[in-house]
Amino acid sequence: MAIEVNGRTIATTDTGYLENHADWNEDVARKLAEIEGIELTDKHWDVINYLRDEYINNGQNQPMERVVLKDMGKMWGTKPTSKDLYLLFPLAPTKQGTKIAGLPAVKRKGGY
């Protein structure tokens, strides 16, 4: 599979994740979000950039939801609830957010 962004063809897996996270940029994220039916807000970008930073700069870490909640609370000044994150990414913040962030699919089971 593939997506077209700004005249470039970018390879994706059968489930819509980028095959190469280095192909990601904000336009790619917007296209992936459009496919997922999500209109990106500043809070979406906060989560997306956090997930990318954790993966790229922290040993390919893909944090569980409770860690994302804790770290977004530090960033936003108030701790969000799971519901808050699911309002942003209805199909699971750490899975759908990871997809839009251009990162590999999360392999762990569970995830609170």
Side-chain angles (χ1 to χ4, degrees):
M1 295 182 62
I3 59 172
E4 291 286 330
V5 179
N6 298 330
R8 273 181 63 214
T9 301
I10 299 169
T12 62
T13 65
D14 290 340
T15 54
Y17 290 83
L18 295 188
E19 287 187 4
N20 180 354
H21 73 84
D23 288 335
W24 186 90
N25 61 42
E26 289 186 1
D27 289 335
V28 171
R30 287 183 191 94
K31 181 65 174 180
L32 293 169
E34 177 187 318
I35 292 166
E36 294 290 312
I38 293 175
E39 187 173 328
L40 297 175
T41 65
D42 288 344
K43 288 197 173 188
H44 287 97
W45 285 111
D46 287 342
V47 174
I48 289 165
N49 289 322
Y50 166 78
L51 293 171
R52 287 190 60 78
D53 183 62
E54 282 295 304
Y55 186 82
I56 293 166
N57 298 316
N58 195 13
Q60 299 184 342
N61 181 40
Q62 293 182 303
M64 294 186 297
E65 184 180 321
R66 66 178 167 207
V67 176
V68 176
L69 287 168
K70 180 178 146 195
D71 289 342
M72 289 301 100
K74 291 176 188 173
M75 185 180 295
W76 295 338
T78 58
K79 185 177 178 189
T81 64
S82 288
K83 183 178 180 180
D84 295 328
L85 286 185
Y86 275 87
L87 289 172
L88 295 174
F89 300 101
L91 300 179
T94 57
K95 292 185 180 181
Q96 198 170 32
T98 295
K99 182 185 285 187
I100 295 169
L103 302 172
V106 176
K107 302 263 191 242
R108 69 177 176 280
K109 293 184 180 181
Y112 180 77

